[in-house]
Amino acid sequence: MAYAVLKQGREGRARARHPWVYEGEIDVVAGDPKPGDIVDVVDHRKRFLGRGFINPVSSITVRILTWIEEEEVNEEFFYRRLTEAREYRKVVAAGASCYRVVFSDGDFLSSLIVDRYDDVCAVQTAAFGTDVRKTMIVGMLADILGVSKIYERNDVRSRELEGLPLQSGFMMGQFPTAFWAEENGFSFWVDVERGQKTGLFLDQRENHKAIAPWCEGARVLDAFCYTGGFAIHAAGYGARQVLAIDSSGAALEIARLTADKNGLGDRISFREGNAFDVLRELEARRERFDLVIIDPPAFAPSKRTIEAAYRGYKEVNLRAMKLLAPGGVLVTCSCSYHMRPEVFLQMIADAAADAGRSARLVELRSQARDHPILLGVDETHYLKCAVLRMS
């Protein structure tokens, strides 16, 4: 078997079981492996560290799949890992019809994403090693999950860093790619061909449900509402009035249809506009809300943008706090991996100080449990969701 020898003193991450081996950590690659081939990772004394697939053109040159020297990475290995992932979801997503089946490194299957929407699966193979095996993986998913409708959503830009083309299409079966599916008892419009991520923000499923205690009789503001995930749940959990804001008219059209589908159209109003501008306008009109939800897109796509992102998050949270009635609740999110939890909480504290408000942290949540966080691999912990009571 081919193998990658790490530079002396650069073995720490691999020894700590981080699955990514960067180009700069490798001294030499022996055996002339092709992209996607399985290789061993060894230290400078040729002692085994891990085994995974290689892509010499990627800065993440090796993605480790196992740290057990006796474990072969073959068809049986992938079938076992996929089965283990499904068994885990039987516990953490029991009763859900829409959930993430495989979460890349969180399920020890680096670069593989599988989402299930009832009887449809959407698959992403973001690295060369999973992409060359996707036909095999799809066949295994059909067997393990009992599905016959599988769609490829390989339009993520990270594939270009692997030397892979962007592409989408049917991998098994022919079926409508847009349909209604259920989350927490509510119907949502899923578009596995064109929707954000693979159709829904499944990582927010548990956070959507967590707002229930704060909704009964409340006046609610949902900024960056997209297709209405939080807004629909708020109204469904008893809010008397919900104002939902988004800059995308197309997303708001789906949100309106979703509100009507769930019989909630009379309690939710939708407004197209820039959330920052609308929040300032509402503040100038001295509007007050009992619950404000802030769930913006990622402001920090890279480490070098974190300073500007901090300012953006602080500004929108400050505006939200000024709109809350005394004793009101703020639910604020960040999906920026580079905005680490401790920095996220400091940003909220800074916003509260500038707003002249006191904030009590009720709970700090993360992505749904079907997106498991692998300790020591910070990249698997990206979503933060803070629930705060404001005084």
Side-chain angles (χ1 to χ4, degrees):
M1 179 178 288
Y3 57 92
V5 183
L6 300 191
K7 296 175 181 176
Q8 187 173 0
R10 299 299 301 274
E11 309 99 338
R13 282 161 40 88
R15 288 196 192 282
R17 295 199 167 193
H18 195 293
W20 299 358
V21 179
Y22 285 96
E23 179 184 17
E25 296 172 315
I26 297 173
D27 184 23
V28 65
V29 175
D32 193 29
K34 304 297 186 293
D37 282 355
I38 302 299
V39 302
D40 281 354
V41 176
V42 300
D43 67 12
H44 70 285
R45 294 181 179 176
K46 306 294 178 63
R47 292 175 296 193
F48 180 85
L49 295 173
R51 180 173 294 133
F53 45 71
I54 192 169
N55 185 1
V57 307
S58 174
S59 62
I60 304 175
T61 305
V62 181
R63 293 174 181 264
I64 297 176
L65 300 170
T66 180
W67 289 265
I68 301 172
E69 189 168 4
E70 296 75 27
E71 187 170 40
E72 291 187 47
V73 178
N74 50 23
E75 288 194 19
E76 180 185 353
F77 171 90
F78 282 97
Y79 194 94
R80 183 171 63 253
R81 284 283 167 89
L82 291 170
T83 301
E84 289 169 355
R86 175 65 187 109
E87 291 304 305
Y88 173 72
R89 271 70 185 180
K90 286 182 178 179
V91 177
V92 301
S97 58
C98 300
Y99 53 90
R100 177 150 290 183
V101 181
V102 178
F103 181 48
S104 188
D105 297 296
D107 285 297
F108 310 106
L109 286 167
S110 190
S111 78
L112 177 63
I113 297 291
V114 182
D115 288 338
R116 181 171 188 170
Y117 302 100
D118 291 328
D119 61 346
V120 174
C121 276
V123 175
Q124 287 182 351
T125 50
F128 217 102
T130 47
D131 197 66
V132 297
R133 294 171 175 85
K134 64 185 176 184
T135 300
M136 176 192 74
I137 290 168
V138 164
M140 291 178 177
L141 290 171
D143 182 56
I144 294 167
L145 301 177
V147 296
S148 58
K149 301 174 182 177
I150 300 179
Y151 195 83
E152 176 182 11
R153 272 299 297 271
N154 275 325
D155 52 357
V156 289
R157 293 293 175 184
S158 58
R159 281 174 59 90
E160 295 180 333
L161 303 177
E162 292 277 322
L164 293 168
L166 305 187
Q167 57 193 47
S168 297
F170 296 103
M171 298 194 73
M172 181 173 288
Q174 297 284 324
F175 49 89
T177 55
F179 46 85
W180 292 104
E182 186 178 287
E183 178 186 285
N184 298 325
F186 302 103
S187 294
F188 286 93
W189 187 247
V190 177
D191 188 340
V192 295
E193 182 180 2
R194 299 183 181 88
Q196 291 287 332
K197 293 206 170 183
T198 64
L200 280 182
F201 288 100
L202 294 174
D203 51 5
Q204 290 281 26
R205 176 172 51 85
E206 294 175 4
N207 295 330
H208 287 158
K209 192 173 184 178
I211 69 171
W214 313 106
C215 293
E216 185 64 39
R219 188 181 187 216
V220 179
L221 172 64
D222 179 12
F224 308 96
C225 72
Y226 187 50
T227 56
F230 276 109
I232 299 299
H233 281 80
Y237 291 144
R240 61 183 170 84
Q241 184 185 68
V242 180
L243 172 60
I245 305 164
D246 202 89
S247 60
S248 169
L252 290 178
E253 282 303 308
I254 296 172
R256 290 187 183 94
L257 289 172
T258 305
D260 291 340
K261 174 75 172 178
N262 288 280
L264 301 170
D266 59 333
R267 278 188 279 153
I268 309 177
S269 57
F270 297 94
R271 178 170 173 182
E272 183 177 349
N274 180 289
F276 288 87
D277 295 337
V278 176
L279 292 180
R280 290 191 193 95
E281 178 189 320
L282 293 171
E283 181 188 343
R285 295 193 339 228
R286 299 184 181 278
E287 299 275 4
R288 291 294 178 267
F289 297 87
D290 305 297
L291 171 62
V292 176
I293 301 161
I294 303 293
D295 184 20
F299 288 171
S302 66
K303 186 179 291 187
R304 65 177 177 271
T305 61
I306 189 64
E307 186 175 335
Y310 192 100
R311 293 194 298 269
Y313 281 117
K314 181 183 173 183
E315 171 70 12
V316 74
N317 278 275
L318 184 152
R319 297 297 168 191
M321 291 173 181
K322 289 187 173 183
L323 290 169
L324 277 164
V329 172
L330 173 65
V331 176
T332 181
C333 305
S334 169
C335 61
S336 297
Y337 152 70
H338 295 285
M339 175 68 76
R340 304 311 301 151
E342 63 278 8
V343 179
F344 181 61
L345 289 177
Q346 184 60 57
M347 175 276 298
I348 295 170
D350 289 347
D354 286 0
R357 305 291 296 267
S358 296
R360 288 181 292 171
L361 182 64
V362 178
E363 58 179 328
L364 179 61
R365 304 179 59 83
S366 185
Q367 62 246 33
R369 291 171 295 169
D370 51 11
H371 296 62
I373 297 167
L374 184 59
L375 294 183
V377 184
D378 290 344
E379 292 84 356
T380 62
H381 184 190
Y382 65 96
L383 182 62
K384 286 75 60 181
C385 177
V387 182
L388 305 118
R389 192 78 179 266
M390 304 299 301
S391 300

